[in-house]
Amino acid sequence: GCEIEVNAQIADEQLSAENVIGLLPGKGSLASEYVVLGAHLDHLGMGNFGSREGAGKLHPGADDNASGSAAVIMLAGRLANEYRELPPDQEARSILFMCFSAEESGLIGSSHYCRNPLFPIEQHKLMINFDMIGRITNGRLSVSGASTGEGMEEWLAPMFEASPLTIVQPENMSGASDHTPFYRAKMPILFGII
């Protein structure tokens, strides 16, 4: 039984975000096939959006996801050295090292890449995504997606067995992270998270 008058102003503010991508060229007939090693750069800061801890509480960027970005950088250095040591006639796929922006805001950076790839998306053969891998406890790492590509489970089994970590493989695809747009594009994926 009362009347309320409300005045409001809505501001639509556009923000720019950038993916960071590096290319390690492959060799021979496999050079036109691409493996993506990725992680997201952004984090929630004080958790005003999406934080498990709630708004105004610190969501450490070192965990989510400087650890994944650091893994991509470390792998880039290691794989560049290994590619230099390959025999001249050795074939090798090209590797795209990607650090995505705006994952926390809805997979914006990785979705943009899948819609606007540097190379035809069908030439992308595998996407490996690292998210929150820096605080492994009890020696446990979750890796999902082994069943998304033909022969991947058999290819991964000896590596998982040789790992000092306990590799847990969820039955269902876990997490909505930067692997998701690639999976939707019908690409095999692997998703590592604690």
Side-chain angles (χ1 to χ4, degrees):
C2 67
E3 281 187 32
I4 298 175
E5 186 177 319
V6 176
N7 292 316
Q9 291 182 341
I10 298 174
D12 185 8
E13 181 182 354
Q14 290 191 350
L15 302 173
S16 294
E18 296 178 353
N19 292 330
V20 178
I21 303 172
L23 169 66
L24 178 58
K27 297 173 65 177
S29 64
L30 292 177
S32 62
E33 295 183 5
Y34 299 88
V35 173
V36 175
L37 299 180
H40 69 91
L41 290 169
D42 63 316
H43 70 98
L44 296 171
M46 293 304 289
N48 293 326
F49 170 81
S51 175
R52 289 180 232 144
E53 300 296 322
K57 295 186 180 175
L58 180 64
H59 188 99
D63 176 31
D64 190 6
N65 187 34
S67 60
S69 299
V72 171
I73 293 168
M74 289 170 34
L75 285 167
R78 181 175 176 176
L79 289 167
N81 288 333
E82 289 184 10
Y83 270 44
R84 276 192 288 276
E85 300 296 322
L86 290 174
D89 59 343
Q90 175 72 52
E91 296 192 346
R93 287 181 176 86
S94 296
I95 302 177
L96 290 165
F97 301 96
M98 297 190 184
C99 290
F100 300 104
S101 188
E103 186 262 5
E104 302 288 4
S105 300
L107 311 179
I108 294 169
S110 53
S111 294
H112 175 79
Y113 181 83
C114 285
R115 287 189 310 272
N116 305 280
L118 294 176
F119 308 98
I121 200 71
E122 59 274 5
Q123 290 176 225
H124 294 62
K125 301 302 178 182
L126 174 65
M127 193 285 181
I128 302 172
N129 183 34
F130 303 102
D131 198 346
M132 299 194 307
I133 58 170
R135 59 179 172 100
I136 292 174
T137 55
N138 301 321
R140 178 190 178 280
L141 177 68
S142 172
V143 179
S144 55
S147 64
T148 62
E150 186 177 335
M152 278 185 21
E153 290 174 302
E154 295 78 12
W155 170 64
L156 291 165
M159 290 181 267
F160 287 173
E161 289 170 14
S163 175
L165 300 173
T166 301
I167 307 296
V168 178
Q169 296 183 71
E171 286 186 29
N172 298 323
M173 188 62 59
S174 62
S177 186
D178 288 312
H179 60 283
T180 304
F182 292 87
Y183 180 66
R184 289 179 184 147
K186 310 288 188 237
M187 189 181 312
I189 62 94
L190 291 172
F191 176 43
I193 191 167
I194 52 118

